[in-house]
Amino acid sequence: MNHSPVEERLRAALSARADAVGPADLRPLRPPTAAPRTHRLPTRGTLAALLALAAVAALVFLTVHGTRTRPAEPARSPAPTVDAPSPHAGSATPTPLPTAVPSSPAPGPR
């Protein structure tokens, strides 16, 4: 095989390092002392349930917060929209109609 000069140098360095390690450099084998891990990855059913729960939560959030409506405007008293004819034929400003005034005073508290 034809290897590049960089690859040849890397191969030589790795081979020299591997030859420098002998049995005396290795530590003795010890059995594991820690308890085995009991933490397991979630199963497919658990993941499916979590995804379904997330979808329901998103649906509820979007339907509750997505349909925000403006409150109704407060009621206003009707204003006259028809103007009375002006007594002056050449007048450019229209005169509004007079408003009704109650003839009797409002009853007071008893």
Side-chain angles (χ1 to χ4, degrees), residues 10-101:
L10 283 173
R11 286 177 181 266
L14 288 174
S15 179
R17 184 68 178 153
D19 292 338
V21 176
D25 297 324
L26 301 175
R27 68 173 185 238
L29 182 63
R30 285 186 299 181
T33 57
R37 286 190 338 172
T38 58
H39 183 270
R40 295 172 46 194
L41 293 176
T43 62
R44 288 184 189 175
T46 304
L47 289 176
L50 287 175
L51 285 175
L53 184 63
V56 169
L59 182 66
V60 168
F61 179 77
L62 291 176
T63 56
V64 170
H65 293 296
T67 58
R68 180 172 291 173
T69 57
R70 291 183 59 196
E73 294 288 326
R76 296 183 196 156
S77 62
T81 56
V82 178
D83 295 332
S86 174
H88 305 314
S91 175
T93 58
T95 310
L97 291 174
T99 58
V101 178

